[in-house]
Amino acid sequence: MISHVMVSLWHAHPGSPYVFGLVGDDQDLDFPEPMPVVGISRSAKGYCIISVYETMKTYSVEDGLTEEAVVTKLRTYQCHHLFLHNSLKNNSSGTLRWGEFGEGGLLWGECNARQQEWLDGNPIDELLFKVKELYGLDDDIPFRNVTVVSENRPRPLHLGTATQIGAIPTEGIPCLLKVLLPPHCSGLPVLYIRDLLLNPPAYEISSDIQEACRLMMSVTCSIPDFTCISSAKLVKLLELREANHVEFCKIKSMVEEILQLYRNSELRAIVELLMDPTWVATGLKVDFDTLVNECGKISCRISEIISVHGESDQKISSYPIIPNDFFEDMELLWKGRVKRIHLEDAYAEVEKAADALSLAITEDFLPIISRIRATMAPLGGTKGEILYAREHGAVWFKGKRFVPTVWAGTAGEEQIKHLRPALDSKGKKVGEEWFTTMRVEDAIARYHEASAKAKSRVLELLRGLSSELLSKINILIFASVLNVIAKSLFSHVSEGRRRNWIFPTITQFNKCQDTEALEGTEGMKIIGLSPYWFDAARGTGVQNTVDMQSMFLLTGPNGGGKSSLLRSLCAAALLGMCGFMVPAESAVIPHFDSIMLHMKSYDSPADGKSSFQIEMSEIRSLITGATSSSLVLIDEICRGTETAKGTCIAGSVIETLDAIGCLGIVSTHLHGIFDLPLKIKKTVYKAMGAEYVDGQPIPTWKLIDGVCKESLAFETAQREGIPEILIQRAEEFYNSAYGNQIPRKKDQIRPLCSDIDLNSTDKSSDQLNGTRQIALESSTKLMHRIGISSKKLEDAICLICEKKLIELYKMKNPSEMAMVNCVLIAAREQPAPSTIGASSVYIMLRPDKKLYVGQTDDLEGRVRAHRLKEGMENASFLYFLVSGKSIACQLETLLINQLPNYGFQLTNVADGKHRNFGTTNLSPEPSTALR
């Protein structure tokens, strides 16, 4: 007996993804993002990191990095192998304890905790040689350099900066990544946003990203769902010829979405703006027309080979006497994957073998079963059955073999003589009740052979298509990353609109055009700044105005909001530099060459360093890396040492930053700084305000001018549950030691301080364009397939709703009111960001030809919720926007009650009875009106 077993192996690990058997599978499986082989060296510019991806056959080089930046990259991108160049050993001590921060060093500690090997010679050549050796590659296999060099690209974020704003998720820190995208957006888009934050783009790229986002905000047509495929997965599957029909369908969707962006006038400008950001992300320079043309060719070629829509000429074989599971298990392994036209002879052979099997089973088994049922079953005797033995890939007779007392030449007498025990693939009896015949076994073997040949032909076609598309791999990589970027930005704009964020004005240093807004200097001004972790749309969080032309020396009480202000300002500046929306009412943000945030430090026992040593190492990195085009933010400087010397170090740091001329904030509780003979020219004093309410000091969390020397330490300790007796004793100590320095109570919180006028600048936000009448060609085709006339449905919607709107607005002249503009959301599409927060009425076009009418202020969420229901994955929608939820509710009920009069079937007719309007026919003869 021939046993049919499908073997499908899928093995992949990040260092060396290896796949085998996926081409014969019928599902899309996860593919881990590959880990690079990393090499670190030292050059005249600073540290250099080389990343090599064996999967992609690419490498990139980043030079001039700080030690902090290299450590950030090592923490973010886990490497498969780490190589260190001998140039790192060239330090003053001549030992291996190298590092920018002295003996031990941050980078030394990071690398010492990992397995690593040492390199000599040319770092790039040696590392590529090691990679080929590790993966068993031939010496002549080329690796492509994907480095995009830009002289004015900002420096990567330091590790401390990235963790303190949640660009790298850190416990206890509000995660910036989580507020930039909707909760349902995950995977590759999140990775792209993270990488952009950690490695801010050059001014030209950030400008393109922001302009694309601005256009996304005003788009009124539906947008693609954006199929995101890992470019590493694409390369590996096509290179190994293991892409299956599911993957080819995804590739086809991906390239068709590029074509959809190109064909739509609203979306074309967006995709053109995203060409350069995609170039930076891939290292591939692709012409826009070339991309479109090649995507069209790829789509056509896949359509020629792959069965995309499940053609009806590939139905599974079916015979009444044979269990359906048998044919499903055999034929689902290859049917429905490629078009039948490419293997008609294979289909014919399988169908002929299936007919022969059905005939053999009918003639050899059916007479026996019929006789048994007629003679034994009524008496409660043995029943015979034809069953599918899945483990053995066979259809056999199951029942007890017996010799009846009288056959008398009846049907089945001859057939039972030919029964023989069923055997497994090793020739052993399967059991006492399983039987077959030689004729049936021959028919099963013939059917298996025909199916195996058909499957082999299918796999051959799929592998051939992989080889064809491999020649266009650069286009596919570019298209896949472009789709990821587009989805990332559309999702960000949707979330930013929901949170009431705005687009800032990004300026270049020495190229500032908006001199009036910046008062003639290259400064930063953010009005209505909110903490990014608060939802401004819900009215949470205190807003601040930051008008920064120089360094701020910031004081304020405990819990007054100093740390929150620094974290919020850092995030807003970084978001603006990347081209994203920011949590503010308006903003002018320079394109800094670096953003550095230092907050609290902890000790490092592994390196033998105290928290103050760690703090000094980080501040040294900040000072040495700062320029007049940098943003430097230091929270509670020198908190880890004794007050007198800490105050003096802090004063010296402030003088240094003032001389550099960078923008930033240094916050402190070391009020002795103001008694030092500071030589500062530009630094101004700012404070976090507080006021007395019923005799109790309450922080306002507002940034104001001046100095605040009150810490509210006793009040803070009391609020946190410190015993009253302990606090009283602390106050006695304080009065004894500092009594002559205590200011009068009325001046305690705000000496020499004045509030900044928070209303000095009008709120500026982008106004969304109204909806438009879109072309209905795709809508007509779509609804024709499900038996609905698009013209009839849209005419009915307009007739019903426009008459009601005239009544609601009490307009005598209908031309005074905007028309109802229906927008189609086809399968694999989603509503534009302009629908976020807007009231809409929608009609879901179900596969069963019935309609569902609803209204919402969250169309994107409602569409996603409907499509999560079984059978509704590809549901389409028509929608139109209205001014307000009340009107939307009325029009929803009106449509529910009126659309059936125009010949449409609804699933939620009962919903129309929930309100007392919409029950009167607006047109006495609906069928005539639409005829």
Side-chain angles (χ1 to χ4, degrees):
M1 179 62 230
I2 297 177
S3 176
H4 181 86
V5 180
M6 181 192 76
V7 178
S8 177
L9 299 178
W10 167 260
H11 170 65
H13 66 81
S16 177
Y18 167 75
V19 295
F20 175 75
L22 180 61
V23 66
D25 213 324
D26 62 349
Q27 57 184 336
D28 179 36
L29 300 179
D30 291 333
F31 188 91
E33 283 299 298
M35 290 183 183
V37 174
V38 171
I40 303 173
S41 64
R42 189 71 189 261
S43 71
K45 296 180 180 179
Y47 287 93
C48 176
I49 187 166
I50 308 164
S51 302
V52 183
Y53 287 91
E54 182 275 335
T55 303
M56 304 290 291
K57 303 298 186 293
T58 61
Y59 71 93
S60 62
V61 181
E62 292 184 81
D63 204 353
L65 299 175
T66 64
E67 189 171 6
E68 273 267 8
V70 175
V71 172
T72 304
K73 290 182 178 297
L74 288 176
R75 294 273 181 92
T76 309
Y77 315 108
Q78 294 295 323
C79 57
H80 191 229
H81 290 276
L82 177 62
F83 291 90
L84 307 176
H85 193 260
N86 281 333
S87 57
L88 296 172
K89 297 180 181 179
N90 299 328
N91 58 13
S92 57
S93 64
T95 68
L96 298 187
R97 296 178 66 80
W98 36 265
E100 179 183 349
F101 300 152
E103 187 175 339
L106 184 65
L107 182 57
W108 179 87
E110 185 70 24
C111 294
N112 193 47
R114 303 166 181 259
Q115 291 186 342
Q116 80 282 128
E117 298 180 39
W118 288 90
L119 292 174
D120 205 355
N122 182 286
I124 298 176
D125 294 340
E126 289 299 316
L127 186 61
L128 290 176
F129 174 79
K130 285 290 187 181
V131 168
K132 293 176 182 179
E133 189 177 60
L134 280 170
Y135 293 99
L137 304 177
D138 294 337
D139 291 339
D140 57 352
I141 291 181
F143 277 71
R144 179 170 58 90
N145 186 356
V146 296
T147 308
V148 178
V149 179
S150 178
E151 292 297 328
N152 65 343
R153 183 166 186 171
R155 291 195 293 276
L157 292 192
H158 284 185
L159 180 63
T161 306
T163 55
Q164 286 297 331
I165 60 173
I168 297 177
T170 306
E171 185 177 357
I173 304 296
C175 184
L176 183 59
L177 288 175
K178 289 187 177 181
V179 301
L180 295 184
L181 298 172
H184 64 270
C185 185
S186 59
L188 293 174
V190 176
L191 294 180
Y192 174 75
I193 295 293
R194 183 200 66 181
D195 293 347
L196 204 62
L197 293 174
L198 295 176
N199 303 277
Y203 175 79
E204 293 76 16
I205 301 302
S206 62
S207 297
D208 286 344
I209 290 174
Q210 188 189 84
E211 183 58 27
C213 289
R214 286 182 184 273
L215 293 178
M216 291 174 182
M217 179 72 88
S218 59
V219 163
T220 57
C221 62
S222 59
I223 60 176
D225 204 25
F226 295 111
T227 303
C228 293
I229 308 177
S230 164
S231 53
K233 179 180 181 180
L234 272 175
V235 171
K236 201 66 177 179
L237 293 183
L238 295 180
E239 185 181 70
L240 298 178
R241 302 172 68 203
E242 289 289 341
N244 61 11
H245 66 293
V246 177
E247 197 65 31
F248 284 122
C249 287
K250 289 184 67 177
I251 294 173
K252 178 177 170 60
S253 296
M254 178 184 74
V255 296
E256 285 184 344
E257 286 162 358
I258 300 293
L259 297 175
Q260 181 180 349
L261 295 173
Y262 166 74
R263 290 167 183 156
N264 186 293
S265 59
E266 281 192 283
L267 301 177
R268 186 184 308 151
I270 293 174
V271 74
E272 287 176 340
L273 285 166
L274 296 183
M275 294 296 287
D276 279 349
T278 307
W279 159 55
V280 172
T282 61
L284 293 167
K285 195 72 171 177
V286 177
D287 178 72
F288 183 56
D289 291 334
T290 301
L291 173 68
V292 172
N293 292 334
E294 291 298 321
C295 283
K297 292 177 183 178
I298 292 170
S299 176
C300 290
R301 185 54 183 155
I302 294 176
S303 296
E304 291 172 0
I305 301 295
I306 302 298
S307 176
V308 178
H309 299 296
E311 285 77 0
S312 59
D313 59 358
Q314 301 201 43
K315 293 182 179 179
I316 303 298
S317 301
S318 178
Y319 297 87
I321 198 172
I322 301 177
N324 289 331
D325 289 355
F326 171 74
F327 290 113
E328 288 178 359
D329 284 357
M330 301 302 117
E331 297 180 10
L332 283 176
L333 298 174
W334 55 274
K335 274 188 177 179
R337 306 190 180 195
V338 302
K339 292 188 180 295
R340 178 167 177 162
I341 191 174
H342 299 293
L343 55 165
E344 283 289 358
D345 54 340
Y347 269 85
E349 189 173 345
V350 170
E351 289 170 358
K352 188 176 180 180
D355 288 339
L357 176 60
S358 175
L359 181 62
I361 291 176
T362 300
E363 294 182 353
D364 284 13
F365 293 163
L366 200 57
I368 300 174
I369 291 175
S370 300
R371 182 60 186 173
I372 291 174
R373 289 174 179 172
T375 59
M376 303 299 295
L379 304 176
T382 305
K383 295 181 181 179
E385 299 176 281
I386 299 173
L387 297 177
Y388 168 37
R390 178 175 275 106
E391 183 181 352
H392 306 283
V395 178
W396 290 330
F397 169 76
K398 185 177 184 181
K400 290 185 178 179
R401 190 173 184 179
F402 60 92
V403 178
T405 54
V406 179
W407 276 101
T410 56
E413 182 176 5
E414 186 64 28
Q415 286 79 0
I416 200 171
K417 297 176 182 178
H418 295 291
L419 288 179
R420 46 182 284 186
L423 305 178
D424 61 19
S425 58
K426 297 180 180 180
K428 295 182 179 180
K429 286 177 61 175
V430 174
E432 297 298 327
E433 297 184 354
W434 288 96
F435 297 93
T436 186
T437 68
M438 184 66 71
R439 182 186 178 191
V440 169
E441 291 300 281
D442 289 343
I444 290 176
R446 178 184 172 188
Y447 175 77
H448 278 312
E449 183 179 357
S451 293
K453 287 182 179 178
K455 180 182 178 182
S456 178
R457 290 283 304 280
V458 169
L459 298 186
E460 182 182 346
L461 286 167
L462 292 174
R463 293 186 188 279
L465 185 56
S466 285
S467 298
E468 288 185 50
L469 295 190
L470 187 61
S471 64
K472 301 181 183 296
I473 192 61
N474 285 351
I475 292 294
L476 290 173
I477 291 173
F478 195 92
S480 68
V481 175
L482 178 57
N483 256 22
V484 169
I485 294 175
K487 182 164 188 174
S488 304
L489 299 185
F490 265 112
S491 298
H492 168 62
V493 170
S494 295
E495 185 65 13
R497 177 179 168 85
R498 191 190 69 78
R499 291 176 173 270
N500 290 337
W501 289 13
I502 57 94
F503 291 106
T505 298
I506 310 175
T507 63
Q508 283 185 283
F509 281 92
N510 301 321
K511 297 181 181 179
C512 178
Q513 297 176 352
D514 192 0
T515 55
E516 183 179 350
L518 296 178
E519 299 180 2
T521 64
E522 296 169 339
M524 175 169 61
K525 187 171 185 178
I526 304 179
I527 298 175
L529 173 66
S530 296
Y532 64 85
W533 57 93
F534 288 150
D535 195 340
R538 299 180 180 177
T540 58
V542 174
Q543 296 183 330
N544 266 297
T545 290
V546 179
D547 190 353
M548 182 178 290
Q549 310 297 329
S550 63
M551 287 292 300
F552 288 177
L553 180 55
L554 180 65
T555 52
N558 293 113
K562 297 187 300 299
S563 300
S564 293
L565 178 66
L566 267 64
R567 188 175 275 124
S568 303
L569 191 62
C570 178
L574 178 61
L575 293 175
M577 282 176 56
C578 293
F580 297 149
M581 303 176 74
V582 300
E585 295 180 357
S586 69
V588 177
I589 297 175
H591 194 264
F592 297 103
D593 64 5
S594 64
I595 295 178
M596 295 175 281
L597 169 66
H598 168 74
M599 303 191 82
K600 58 186 177 183
S601 300
Y602 297 98
D603 63 340
S604 178
D607 292 327
K609 290 190 175 183
S610 67
S611 60
F612 183 66
Q613 285 179 287
I614 297 294
E615 180 184 7
M616 290 298 100
S617 294
E618 293 185 5
I619 289 198
R620 174 183 180 274
S621 179
L622 266 61
I623 291 175
T624 55
T627 71
S628 59
S629 301
S630 302
L631 178 66
V632 178
L633 304 164
I634 303 176
D635 188 34
E636 295 194 23
I637 188 171
C638 296
R639 71 167 76 184
T641 189
E642 60 98 0
T643 305
K645 292 181 180 178
T647 299
C648 295
I649 294 175
S652 183
V653 170
I654 293 167
E655 281 191 343
T656 302
L657 293 175
D658 182 83
I660 291 173
C662 59
L663 299 185
I665 298 176
V666 176
S667 74
T668 184
H669 282 298
L670 301 175
H671 302 140
I673 288 178
F674 301 105
D675 299 324
L676 298 176
L678 296 177
K679 296 179 181 179
I680 52 177
K681 298 179 180 179
K682 302 176 183 178
T683 301
V684 297
Y685 297 160
K686 296 285 183 177
M688 301 306 296
E691 59 187 7
Y692 275 90
V693 178
D694 297 329
Q696 294 296 321
I698 303 295
T700 64
W701 301 288
K702 288 286 190 179
L703 181 67
I704 58 177
D705 293 324
V707 176
C708 175
K709 294 187 177 181
E710 171 56 59
S711 68
L712 297 185
F714 298 148
E715 291 80 0
T716 302
Q718 190 171 27
R719 284 198 302 269
E720 295 302 318
I722 297 297
E724 180 67 25
I725 188 171
L726 189 152
I727 294 175
Q728 290 177 358
R729 183 58 175 158
E731 288 179 337
E732 291 175 6
F733 287 144
Y734 183 73
N735 292 329
S736 172
Y738 307 101
N740 61 338
Q741 302 176 25
I742 301 175
R744 291 174 299 168
K745 190 169 186 179
K746 65 178 182 178
D747 296 330
Q748 193 168 351
I749 302 299
R750 295 189 181 185
L752 306 176
C753 292
S754 61
D755 290 333
I756 296 175
D757 184 2
L758 299 179
N759 301 313
S760 59
T761 304
D762 292 335
K763 178 178 179 180
S764 62
S765 60
D766 293 335
Q767 299 299 318
L768 301 177
N769 295 326
T771 56
R772 62 179 180 83
Q773 185 92 28
I774 65 169
L776 298 174
E777 288 80 3
S778 59
S779 173
T780 302
K781 293 178 182 178
L782 174 72
M783 288 189 275
H784 177 72
R785 290 202 302 269
I786 61 175
I788 296 176
S789 167
S790 63
K791 186 68 169 63
K792 182 179 178 182
L793 177 58
E794 293 196 32
D795 284 349
I797 293 171
C798 292
L799 182 61
I800 294 171
C801 295
E802 287 175 3
K803 288 189 175 183
K804 184 63 178 178
L805 288 173
I806 293 172
E807 174 188 327
L808 290 173
Y809 290 118
K810 303 186 184 304
M811 291 182 176
K812 297 180 180 179
N813 183 4
S815 63
E816 296 177 7
M817 184 185 63
M819 302 292 288
V820 171
N821 296 317
C822 293
V823 180
L824 172 70
I825 306 173
R828 294 193 0 248
E829 290 184 352
Q830 54 185 314
S834 58
T835 62
I836 300 292
S839 298
S840 64
V841 180
Y842 67 91
I843 298 89
M844 180 170 69
L845 314 176
R846 295 163 50 96
D848 59 6
K849 302 182 182 181
K850 294 182 179 181
L851 306 179
Y852 177 92
V853 180
Q855 62 80 29
T856 182
D857 284 347
D858 180 16
L859 183 61
E860 190 268 341
R862 189 65 62 86
V863 167
R864 189 171 63 256
H866 279 302
R867 285 176 172 168
L868 287 175
K869 296 178 181 177
E870 186 176 358
M872 298 293 121
E873 297 85 0
N874 294 317
S876 302
F877 298 79
L878 279 175
Y879 77 90
F880 58 92
L881 301 181
V882 296
S883 57
K885 190 174 183 68
S886 175
I887 293 177
C889 290
Q890 296 186 54
L891 295 181
E892 174 199 22
T893 303
L894 192 66
L895 287 171
I896 291 173
N897 287 318
Q898 293 299 314
L899 282 176
N901 296 333
Y902 293 83
F904 298 103
Q905 287 185 289
L906 270 63
T907 61
N908 59 332
V909 175
D911 292 348
K913 300 177 182 178
H914 295 168
R915 299 186 180 92
N916 60 0
F917 47 81
T919 55
T920 303
N921 290 341
L922 294 177
S923 174
E925 298 179 359
S927 58
T928 303
L930 297 178
R931 192 168 295 153

